[in-house]
Amino acid sequence: MTSLFDSYRLGNLTLPNRIVMAPMTRARASDDGMPGASAGTYYAQRATAGLIVSEGIQPSLIGQSNPNTPGLHTDEQVAAWRPVTAAVHTNGGRIFAQLMHGGRVGHPDVAGQHPVAPSAIALEAPLFTGPRGRRPAPVPRALSTAEVRGEVQVFADAARRAVDAGFDGVELHGANGYLINQFLSSNTNQRTDAYGGSVTGRIRFAVEAAEAAADAIGADRVGLRISPGGHVWDIAEDDVPEHYTALVEALAPLGLAYLHVLVTTEEDTLIALRKAWPGAYIINPGGQIAPKEGDQDQGEHWLTQGADLISYGRAYIANPDLVERFRTGLPLETADPDTWYQGGGATGYTTHASYQH
């Protein structure tokens, strides 16, 4: 029987175990999107994970969603990431950069630019903008057809920068209500051109973004994260099984490194997607309808259902040695939510020590 502690071959990488550190926004970057030295410490502390997927990194300035998140759209940001990825590799780890374009989940007070989206439909929820606190979300500007193609290229350009910065690959964030998910969604995508309307139209942006990134750096270095049926940031999706089966079937010929799926819909649907996907399949049990983050039994359960790798998010905040805790049955520490997004601070970021035997 497959175990969380078995090795796994992912593209050109050999993972020592099947535990993935999921992407989590930590908001410790500078105002101009530069990761600091503490980011190298943070990720290196967690390098025993089979694979680390970084926090969401904006692939362009207009794609920035939250204050103090890092970018990969300038030469200076690339240079700032190199010591981070080097620290992970020095400690024996592997790390992919998650490319996260906020789309309509953005505010001029954060990025200095008006957000864009598939359609001019605003979020109902307010957005945190930094010192000015929470403010109403603006109505985003709907992208023209030509501009949509330009946003596809943004992911390819950021993928090249990620490899230049020392990342082992990239994960496109197609989940949780951000730009790719906005194109997939039936309530945020009201377009009538080739990128909207039918299921074929609504999946087009995701497929083209993945294809462009794969062409840029090689398909075996590109993954995609999805949240079928999820409702984060006001997302609604019609006919989840049909919709995501079509997406998986369109992506399958590309030969991507993996599909990273949150447990945000029924198990039968996720098992069907597993059967339709020919490559590595990562399950994150911490989705909206799953039990609890850091549940080792859930991870083992999903391995029996065909998942190849299991990702954990919040459990990694207070447990940099999560692999060892799972292996030895040690209890998990709980992180203080007040420190999750503490911009620039070490507390709750690099201050969680590994268990001392």
Side-chain angles (χ1 to χ4, degrees), residues 45-46 317-321 325 333 350-356:
Q45 287 174 336
R46 292 154 178 81
I317 295 177
N319 301 278
D321 56 347
R325 287 178 183 269
E333 301 294 332
T350 57
T351 54
H352 292 293
S354 296
Y355 180 79
Q356 300 298 314

Side-chain angles (χ1 to χ4, degrees), residues 35-44 55 79-90 95 165-167 349:
S38 61
T41 302
Y42 169 72
Y43 286 115
E55 63 209 280
W81 275 112
R82 286 181 184 136
V84 178
T85 58
V88 172
H89 293 146
T90 297
I95 183 168
F167 286 98
Y349 187 54

Side-chain angles (χ1 to χ4, degrees), residues 131-218:
R132 299 187 68 180
R134 294 191 177 276
R135 303 198 65 204
V139 177
R141 182 176 63 80
L143 293 160
S144 69
T145 302
E147 287 175 320
V148 171
R149 298 189 184 108
E151 294 305 307
V152 166
Q153 191 59 39
V154 160
F155 286 96
D157 293 342
R160 290 189 190 94
R161 289 186 179 277
V163 171
D164 190 18
F167 286 98
D168 297 297
V170 300
E171 175 180 285
L172 308 189
H173 197 346
N176 294 349
Y178 297 105
L179 183 65
I180 293 176
N181 198 193
Q182 291 161 28
F183 273 95
L184 294 171
S185 169
S186 52
N187 71 327
T188 54
N189 184 346
Q190 299 292 310
R191 304 177 69 90
T192 57
D193 66 358
Y195 293 93
S198 66
V199 168
T200 301
R202 285 189 283 125
I203 69 173
R204 186 183 305 276
F205 184 78
V207 174
E208 289 186 359
E211 187 173 29
D215 287 345
I217 63 171

